[in-house]
Amino acid sequence: MGLGRFLLTARGAGGGGHRHGLFRGGTIDHPRTYEVISTLAFAGKRGGSFARLAALSGARPGDRVLDVGCGTGCLTRAMAARIAPDGRVTGLDLSPAMIAYAGARGPASCSYVLGAAQDLAFDDGSFDVVVSSYAVHHVPAEARRAAFAQMRRVLRPGGRLMVADFRPPRGGLGRRLADALAGPAIAGDGTPGTDIDALAGMVAGAGFTIEAEGRLRPVTRYIRAVRP
Ligand SMILES: C[S@@+](CC[C@H](N)C(=O)[O-])C[C@H]1O[C@@H](n2cnc3c(N)ncnc32)[C@H](O)[C@@H]1O
């Protein structure tokens, strides 16, 4: 599949009827093409970038970790390195193709399940750490608050959330590109909850205490928070 067609055929989370670009949201059902694009987008620094996010999560050996919107499992595997030798990481994604791809590549400490961020099928307090990278903008805007409420529910008291997503460029060509590719999913349309800058508000609104916020060059924003 060519890049242009891939960008146009990532499916909406509500079913196959909606057409979105890669960055507009919904599931991604072509893991191999996603890998190529993602590797290029990180200009050869993808592994290091995910290792940094994994370190920022504060996960420790023995922790039980959930990776929401795990995709091909890059962060899931980076988290597995943090929680070794006896921790466990569960990767969750709404795309069966992503789950199959990630499942074929993860170490024994990783398992992968099909599911939606806004409807997590885990018991209360099941995890020490919940992480999510570049996936929140794929969750429908109206479901994002429910997704953060679910992440809080499945964390134990004192557990940590680390969420990272794209930070839109602030001006010039980059901003215009973000607008064209992502629309409100990333670039924002002024409506609360549709702009990724609303991330901190959604995390705090779900009852988390924000511990750290930061940026990773060139286009990543992350937040780490604790469940009181
Ligand atoms: C841009 S990818 C990020 C994948 C991975 N976390 C990474 O950093 O490479 C976003 C992922 O979110 C998944 N996704 C979309 N909607 C979702 C939802 N409601 N719940 C869980 N995953 C979802 C997509 O299928 C896709 O694999």
Side-chain angles (χ1 to χ4, degrees), residues 66-146:
L66 174 66
D67 179 9
V68 175
C70 65
T72 52
C74 208
L75 180 59
T76 324
R77 293 188 293 275
M79 294 305 298
R82 305 288 314 176
I83 53 80
D86 51 356
R88 300 278 314 163
V89 189
T90 303
L92 171 135
D93 202 284
L94 198 50
S95 163
M98 286 297 201
I99 290 300
Y101 185 98
R105 286 156 182 83
S109 58
C110 293
S111 55
Y112 296 88
V113 297
L114 193 62
Q118 60 272 35
D119 187 21
L120 298 176
F122 303 104
D123 290 339
D124 296 0
S126 303
F127 297 98
D128 303 296
V129 177
V130 172
V131 295
S132 182
S133 59
Y134 313 109
V136 169
H137 71 274
H138 280 259
V139 177
E142 65 276 10
R144 286 179 202 155
R145 287 180 196 282

